[in-house]
Amino acid sequence: ERTRTESDRTRSESERTRPESERAASQIRHCKLVRAGAVYLLGTEQWSSVVEFVEYYQTHPLYRGTKLKYPVCQRLLQDWENRPLGGAAASYYVMQPVAQRGLSAGLEGVADEMESLNPLGGFTKGAIDLRGCAVEVPLIARKHDAFKWRLHVAPAGFSVPPLDVAFGTQDEMNEWLEVIQEASRRSPDNRRKSTEKRKIRIAKELSDLVVCCQSVPCNVSASLASDNPMEMSSFPERKMAKITSSPRVVEFTEYTQRHLARVYPAGSRIDSSNYDPTAAWLAGAQLVALNYQTPDRAMQLNHARFLSNRGRGYALKPRLLRGVAFDPTARRSLPGNVAPYTLRVLLLAGRNLCRSTRGAVNPLVEVEVVGAEIDNARRRSPTRLENGLNPCWLPGLPRRDSDVAMESRLVVMEFRVYHPDAALLRFVVSDEDAFGDPKFLAHSTIPVPLIRSGFRSVPLLNGYSNPIEMACLLVHVTQIHPNDDDRPISS
């Protein structure tokens, strides 16, 4: 047999691998698509061809929610203002933010000219004033034209060029036609007149009869001097963040013992994202509003907060918030009847930790305590490779060949909790992708007062806090008083 030279091995290696680069969040990430026999591998996922790989990630996110958009060619590299990705450019694919950057650059002049009509800030890629504009449906449309249904929008004046908008269906086009025509008929004068007509005068004698809640400006110091328990104030998210991060939080907790307080998300959250409600809860706020349509960490904490009352919409505030005013960030404000204790979680195994997309799962578990600032802590387990069906974190048991690097020690996570009534224990199961980033799979969040010691099966929920069939974690929980290691707090 002929001995292979170093150049032969290098050539064979280059034929079996294909570099892939993606641009997302102002960073360029590289990965290697490896050919193994008749398939291509990226981490644990398999494809029969590179074309299948590209088509799949054009509709599914590859890295941090970003999809493949356009192949990179030499011309596109030149348009990126000296931002090359390196050799073999024809094999590279870039993610959607690059395409968005080109669109933004093309509309800079329009955005500057219409700055007053840009309420979305950097999310807006351009704007035109629809008031007084002319909109029509072009009569010329080719039979096989991909953009058959179009609208021609001509703004009033000549400062902004006309715009052609294409739609996938005729019904969608007609719907937008009605919306644009309605907006074009509006004017500032008409809106001002309609607002004046909607103003309703209410007699003061009738208003004084309302005894449930009276909305007053959010002045904590002035409200503390008032003995009227019916007064209620609303606090925007940013103002609440300033209160909870300053010594004024002690004054606010005293205020919430006598008055109702509402907290609501900032108006700039146009993507329906949520803020962390924990700080507002610990300050004593009774009504903490969230965007329920978003399956994020805040909504999962909100779901767990009301488990103590079986999800009925009302839950008793922790004892610390119903007594004397205290600072939730200071350890010295702990009353004598609340003793900090150690919460010890031993992670044993999991079951049915799977995902709906293709490829095997590399599960890892993060356990954290969410509550007061002095209680917040997070621990992370090792990753189990290609085993989402029944991963095991116990050493010394039969294991898969891919788990030969399993640690020879138990996965024990300890937490010291100083405000147990206000703390939540949270399990998050993630899948480690080819880039080393965790992707959310499931969670389980439980109030600490509801936790019981011993061997426990933790049922897992999806992002909307709905149960996942047969998905769970097996753990052992111990709660020990720090002054008496042999006496568990609960059983």
Side-chain angles (χ1 to χ4, degrees):
E1 295 182 358
R2 183 175 62 89
T3 303
R4 296 176 60 190
T5 63
E6 184 66 26
S7 61
D8 293 334
R9 288 193 295 270
T10 303
R11 188 180 306 107
S12 177
E13 177 68 20
S14 62
E15 292 174 353
R16 289 187 292 106
T17 62
R18 180 182 294 270
E20 302 291 338
S21 298
E22 300 81 30
R23 178 181 176 89
S26 301
Q27 295 181 354
I28 298 176
R29 301 299 299 264
H30 305 276
C31 61
K32 183 178 291 186
L33 191 62
V34 182
R35 182 175 182 178
V39 298
Y40 289 86
L41 300 178
L42 177 63
T44 61
E45 301 180 354
Q46 300 181 4
W47 291 269
S48 59
S49 65
V50 179
V51 175
E52 183 184 4
F53 167 83
V54 173
E55 291 178 348
Y56 179 81
Y57 283 117
Q58 283 179 335
T59 56
H60 297 79
L62 173 60
Y63 176 69
R64 295 188 179 180
T66 315
K67 306 172 185 176
L68 295 180
K69 191 64 178 178
Y70 299 113
V72 177
C73 58
Q74 190 63 32
R75 178 181 178 184
L76 187 57
L77 291 177
Q78 296 175 356
D79 295 340
W80 281 353
E81 303 173 352
N82 300 325
R83 295 186 182 180
L85 294 179
S91 300
Y92 292 169
Y93 277 79
V94 306
M95 291 192 171
Q96 197 167 356
V98 176
Q100 292 177 353
R101 176 184 178 275
L103 177 60
S104 176
L107 296 177
E108 285 180 356
V110 177
D112 293 339
E113 190 171 348
M114 305 299 294
E115 183 177 0
S116 60
L117 298 176
N118 187 3
L120 304 183
F123 290 94
T124 303
K125 306 305 178 183
I128 61 173
D129 190 357
L130 294 178
R131 293 172 297 180
C133 70
V135 55
E136 58 182 10
V137 180
L139 298 178
I140 302 177
R142 294 185 294 271
K143 182 177 181 181
H144 301 288
D145 196 342
F147 304 103
K148 181 178 180 180
W149 311 107
R150 306 181 188 178
L151 288 180
H152 182 77
V153 183
F158 301 95
S159 58
V160 180
L163 176 67
D164 286 334
V165 186
F167 305 92
T169 63
Q170 184 178 7
D171 294 339
E172 185 180 5
M173 180 193 69
N174 293 334
E175 182 180 356
W176 275 97
L177 178 61
E178 295 178 1
V179 174
I180 296 176
Q181 288 177 342
E182 177 65 22
S184 66
R185 289 192 292 265
R186 298 176 183 176
S187 66
D189 295 336
N190 293 336
R191 289 202 301 268
R192 190 179 301 112
K193 293 179 181 179
S194 60
T195 303
E196 294 176 355
K197 292 180 181 179
R198 287 196 299 266
K199 289 183 179 179
I200 302 176
R201 295 184 179 181
I202 300 178
K204 185 179 182 302
E205 295 79 6
L206 178 61
S207 178
D208 293 340
L209 295 177
V210 179
V211 296
C212 296
C213 296
Q214 295 180 357
S215 181
V216 297
C218 49
N219 190 334
V220 176
S221 301
S223 298
L224 284 175
S226 174
D227 294 330
N228 186 3
M230 298 177 293
E231 294 181 353
M232 178 176 62
S233 298
S234 298
F235 298 83
E237 166 192 342
R238 292 189 178 90
K239 185 169 185 177
M240 177 55 62
K242 293 180 180 179
I243 293 176
T244 55
S245 60
S246 67
R248 295 177 55 196
V249 66
V250 179
E251 187 181 37
F252 186 84
T253 56
E254 182 181 356
Y255 164 81
T256 56
Q257 294 177 13
R258 302 164 60 181
H259 305 279
L260 291 177
R262 298 179 297 188
V263 184
Y264 55 89
S268 58
R269 292 185 178 272
I270 60 173
D271 56 348
S272 296
S273 60
N274 284 310
Y275 58 95
D276 191 345
T278 307
W281 287 334
L282 288 173
Q286 294 88 350
L287 307 174
V288 182
L290 297 173
N291 291 308
Y292 270 51
Q293 67 271 28
T294 305
D296 57 5
R297 180 177 181 271
M299 275 302 303
Q300 295 159 11
L301 295 178
N302 184 80
H303 175 266
R305 173 56 61 197
F306 294 95
L307 288 179
S308 58
N309 198 24
R310 299 183 180 180
R312 293 196 174 109
Y314 293 90
L316 188 63
K317 289 201 299 185
R319 186 185 311 168
L320 298 175
L321 296 174
R322 291 180 277 123
V324 296
F326 81 107
D327 185 354
T329 63
R331 199 172 301 177
R332 63 178 180 272
S333 64
L334 286 168
N337 60 345
V338 177
Y341 68 98
T342 299
L343 178 63
R344 183 178 301 159
V345 179
L346 171 62
L347 179 61
L348 302 176
R351 182 179 67 179
N352 197 32
L353 310 182
C354 302
R355 58 179 179 179
S356 58
T357 56
R358 59 194 301 164
V361 173
N362 304 319
L364 62 93
V365 180
E366 289 184 345
V367 183
E368 64 174 329
V369 171
V370 183
E373 185 176 349
I374 59 175
D375 293 337
N376 290 337
R378 179 179 298 179
R379 306 288 186 268
R380 178 172 174 172
S381 75
T383 302
R384 291 292 170 257
L385 299 179
E386 302 182 21
N387 186 7
L389 182 61
N390 55 352
C392 180
W393 284 270
L394 265 180
L397 295 180
R399 62 194 69 172
R400 295 168 54 93
D401 294 339
S402 57
D403 289 338
V404 294
M406 180 184 292
E407 288 72 8
S408 60
R409 58 185 177 84
L410 296 175
V411 182
V412 182
M413 309 176 188
E414 286 193 1
F415 306 92
R416 292 184 63 84
V417 183
Y418 292 89
H419 298 86
D421 289 348
L424 302 172
L425 182 64
R426 175 173 166 82
F427 297 85
V428 179
V429 181
S430 303
D431 174 27
E432 190 175 88
D433 62 9
F435 296 97
D437 292 338
K439 292 184 178 180
F440 176 86
L441 288 179
H443 83 98
S444 182
T445 310
I446 310 165
V448 169
L450 300 185
I451 296 176
R452 303 179 64 187
S453 300
F455 290 95
R456 300 294 169 186
S457 176
V458 181
L460 296 177
L461 313 175
N462 60 16
Y464 290 94
S465 296
N466 295 323
I468 302 177
E469 186 177 4
M470 300 182 63
C472 65
L473 295 174
L474 178 62
V475 300
H476 183 274
V477 180
T478 306
Q479 303 174 72
I480 303 175
H481 195 283
N483 299 324
D484 187 356
D485 293 343
D486 298 329
R487 177 168 61 89
I489 284 186
S490 63
S491 61

